[in-house]
Amino acid sequence: MVHDRSTYTNGMKVIVNMHQVDLSTVDLNLLKLFEALVRERSVTQAGLRLGLSQPAASRALGRLRTMLGDRLLVRGKFGLELTPRGEALAGPVAKLLDDARGIIAPTVFDPASATGRFTIAAHDHLSLTVLAGLIVRFGRHAPELSLHIAQPAGDNVRLIEQGGADLALGIFNTLPGSLHRRDLYADSLVCVVRPEHPGLADGLSLERYVTLRHVAVTISGVGESAVDVALSALGLTRHVALRVPHFLAGAMLVADSDMILTLPSRLARLLAERLPLALLDLPLQVAPLSPAMIWHERYHRDPAHMWVRQQLVDVVAAFSCAAHGSLRSVAASQSGNRQRSAPAATDGGRADTAG
């Protein structure tokens, strides 16, 4: 029996010719290698994940390509990249293997004896604010579990769909129906400058803000930032002197210059404890930020995944309880010079328990 099935790859409809296969002639273990290659984008690392040497993993990849009739992964600028057929197969293969694990896996998860690795996709600002507390909890309750932070891929939605990560942290808009979301907390934007900044003795007005040289952090590379959208609505623009991909790099550059950086308040307080930075109110109305975690339906009722998600919720609740002080109190603790900063508003962050 032969029939056609359609799938979509990079927006293009692909017709896949399907026919019945004698599974006794197929090495289904090769699908585990494919899953590991999708995650690791490295033959060596995928082999290590499965307990295979590099030569053995390379030979298995050759058999996998023969079995599926496609190269599946090819060398690219940043490691192995999926071919169109590889992309089309990534999600179905991940679901197939997860379903198989669900059939034979125990229904009870014991973190104290659990082993393995949990992969989270997150950009640096959420890694810095959330994941430090999570790894502490891993060490306390699940010492044999390890945590891996995946290389971000845009907003990470596609990464989750393809099984490249177990969980993603970020700010998400519309999501596919196969993904679940839970908001973590509410945050606002503030500004940081070096304490001795020569132009801010009288505080930070909107007029002064747009004349300063800005460091901008480009996260997903898609669309304008919330700050630039808000300024545009007022007929204003700012001078972005430098764009960087990471908030930590931006903060370090600001600490040694007369530039200014706008960033989430929780991260700003954390960085101000470690770098010579003064915090200032953003003199502009911008909608609050709502960081969330997302995961695929295939993991929704997985006991291990549920445990990790609850740990993240508990981490956020813990630092929300500690976040009732004002931004001024944090800034003032850094240096007497920081008292020249404009008064800052109290952060109203909370743990969102909807989910």
Side-chain angles (χ1 to χ4, degrees):
M1 175 181 174
V2 179
H3 64 278
D4 290 339
R5 176 177 65 83
S6 62
T7 186
Y8 286 84
T9 301
N10 293 331
M12 298 183 295
K13 188 174 183 179
V14 179
I15 304 299
V16 182
N17 185 259
M18 305 287 289
H19 62 276
Q20 287 185 341
V21 175
D22 182 1
L23 290 180
S24 65
T25 65
V26 175
D27 184 357
L28 295 179
N29 283 322
L30 293 176
L31 297 182
K32 293 172 60 180
L33 174 66
F34 179 66
E35 178 189 46
L37 287 166
V38 170
R39 288 192 174 218
E40 303 293 347
R41 303 304 173 98
S42 162
V43 175
T44 300
Q45 293 302 316
L48 289 174
R49 189 181 184 93
L50 300 177
L52 299 175
S53 66
Q54 198 279 337
S58 294
R59 291 193 296 270
L61 175 57
R63 297 196 302 274
L64 176 66
R65 286 168 166 166
T66 300
M67 182 178 79
L68 296 178
D70 190 86
R71 296 191 68 190
L72 301 174
L73 296 102
V74 296
R75 293 196 178 279
K77 187 176 181 180
F78 300 106
L80 294 178
E81 297 179 356
L82 291 170
T83 66
R85 178 154 167 76
E87 288 191 0
L89 290 174
V93 168
K95 185 178 187 305
L96 173 65
L97 293 174
D98 287 334
D99 288 345
R101 294 183 185 107
I103 293 172
I104 61 176
T107 57
V108 177
F109 173 71
D110 177 21
S113 61
T115 60
R117 186 173 79 174
F118 198 88
T119 301
I120 296 179
H123 293 273
D124 73 323
H125 62 299
L126 288 169
S127 297
L128 289 167
T129 54
V130 175
L131 297 184
L134 182 61
I135 196 61
V136 169
R137 286 175 172 269
F138 270 40
R140 184 182 305 145
H141 303 295
E144 297 303 316
L145 274 183
S146 61
L147 185 61
H148 174 67
I149 308 305
Q151 181 69 29
D155 61 4
N156 293 316
V157 170
R158 193 172 182 183
L159 192 67
I160 293 296
E161 286 187 292
Q162 292 182 342
D166 301 301
L167 192 72
L169 306 179
I171 297 174
F172 307 98
N173 296 316
T174 304
L175 292 174
S178 60
L179 301 190
H180 291 265
R181 166 188 178 141
R182 178 165 182 168
D183 289 344
L184 293 173
Y185 58 89
D187 206 352
S188 58
L189 292 175
V190 298
C191 303
V192 293
V193 295
R194 68 182 181 92
E196 298 82 13
H197 196 291
L200 298 174
D202 298 323
L204 181 63
S205 65
L206 179 58
E207 292 76 12
R208 181 62 178 144
Y209 178 78
V210 297
T211 63
L212 293 172
R213 300 172 70 241
H214 289 254
V215 176
V217 178
T218 303
I219 298 177
S220 67
V222 178
E224 289 186 289
S225 73
V227 169
D228 291 315
V229 170
L231 287 173
S232 179
L234 299 175
L236 298 172
T237 60
R238 58 176 176 162
H239 171 45
V240 177
L242 177 65
R243 293 187 184 275
V244 295
H246 304 295
F247 280 103
L248 180 57
M252 294 181 71
L253 291 164
V254 163
D256 291 325
S257 71
D258 288 335
M259 293 187 289
I260 186 170
L261 173 65
T262 305
L263 72 170
S265 65
R266 293 180 187 274
L267 177 60
R269 290 198 301 272
L270 180 66
L271 293 175
E273 294 173 358
R274 294 160 172 80
L275 295 171
L277 295 170
L279 279 66
L280 302 166
D281 281 334
L282 173 65
L284 182 69
Q285 290 295 319
V286 177
L289 308 175
S290 298
M293 59 177 166
I294 62 171
W295 63 94
H296 199 277
E297 167 64 25
R298 60 179 170 266
Y299 293 130
H300 187 54
R301 301 193 183 281
D302 177 75
H305 205 281
M306 293 172 67
W307 181 83
V308 173
R309 297 199 307 263
Q310 185 58 50
Q311 299 310 301
L312 275 168
V313 170
D314 292 345
V315 166
V316 169
F319 70 58
S320 292
C321 291
H324 295 301
S326 70
L327 292 176
R328 169 177 278 279
S329 67
V330 175
S333 69
Q334 303 300 311
S335 167
N337 292 332
R338 298 182 193 187
Q339 295 178 3
R340 294 182 295 174
S341 302
T346 300
D347 177 23
R350 60 180 176 81
D352 193 327
T353 57

